[in-house]
Amino acid sequence: TDRFNYERFGTVSWKTVIKNLKKFSKLDREQFSLDFHSTLSIFNILDADKVKNLADDLDIDIYFGLVKSPKYFSFLNIPHKGRKYIIKKLKNSVHEIIREMAIQLDTDEYHDLNEEFWTEINRIDRVRNQCFADTYPEMNKIMLISQ
């Protein structure tokens, strides 16, 4: 997908990743362990349900972590107004792990690094000839309105 290409620019295609996941998910689980370790950031926090659904479809355990560095890509750099919307969305998930994460993310801590965030997004878009606003329209709106 476009989001995978944005987040993992210059790596293998999403199609290749899915092909490999399907192949590895069929391995004998008594001999091999296969887990997802997904790191959530401003880029993919709104897709947590989709990632969990994919893991479930492939019968793979999933663990979520949060981006800590660079801080301007951290969930804690989303201003409170936008963050409350995201937390509410996560709390409505059908997945317990996502609902629990929503509670964990409901904090007053705020990095206030939006200037740094937009400087880096503009640099990435210019260098890679990509567009954050087109790739992540909902998060783009959240980050702009929430300022």
Side-chain angles (χ1 to χ4, degrees):
T1 70
D2 290 340
R3 291 180 180 195
F4 179 85
N5 293 335
Y6 194 98
E7 293 168 37
R8 300 288 181 210
F9 182 78
T11 62
V12 297
S13 70
W14 179 243
K15 184 188 250 184
T16 301
V17 170
I18 292 298
K19 183 176 114 183
N20 288 336
L21 284 171
K22 286 180 179 179
K23 178 175 68 175
F24 292 132
S25 71
K26 293 177 183 165
L27 293 173
D28 180 352
R29 297 298 174 92
E30 291 189 21
Q31 291 185 326
F32 298 96
S33 175
L34 182 62
D35 301 325
F36 268 162
H37 291 266
S38 181
T39 305
L40 298 174
S41 68
I42 285 176
F43 298 108
N44 60 6
I45 191 77
L46 291 168
D47 294 320
D49 267 327
K50 291 177 185 175
V51 174
K52 173 66 170 126
N53 290 339
L54 176 61
D56 287 351
D57 289 347
L58 297 171
D59 193 28
I60 300 172
D61 290 334
I62 189 165
Y63 304 92
F64 288 104
L66 298 174
V67 162
K68 296 189 186 312
S69 178
K71 285 185 174 185
Y72 48 80
F73 288 154
S74 164
F75 177 83
L76 297 176
N77 195 46
I78 300 170
H80 291 290
K81 184 177 177 184
R83 194 184 311 177
K84 294 295 180 194
Y85 164 79
I86 294 168
I87 290 169
K88 182 179 178 182
K89 187 172 181 172
L90 297 177
K91 283 181 179 178
N92 289 325
S93 173
V94 298
H95 304 292
E96 183 178 352
I97 190 171
I98 305 289
R99 292 190 307 269
E100 289 172 358
M101 187 183 351
I103 295 165
Q104 185 183 69
L105 294 171
D106 196 1
T107 174
D108 287 338
E109 185 177 351
Y110 175 48
H111 293 324
D112 196 15
L113 298 171
N114 277 4
E115 184 176 334
E116 291 87 342
F117 171 81
W118 287 113
T119 298
E120 184 61 10
I121 291 300
N122 291 330
R123 186 194 70 77
I124 288 169
D125 287 355
R126 185 179 61 254
V127 169
R128 297 178 182 177
N129 196 29
Q130 293 178 307
C131 182
F132 177 81
D134 291 344
T135 308
Y136 303 93
E138 188 175 19
M139 185 55 76
N140 184 68
K141 185 177 177 183
I142 288 168
M143 293 302 289
L144 287 172
I145 290 175
S146 298
Q147 292 186 28

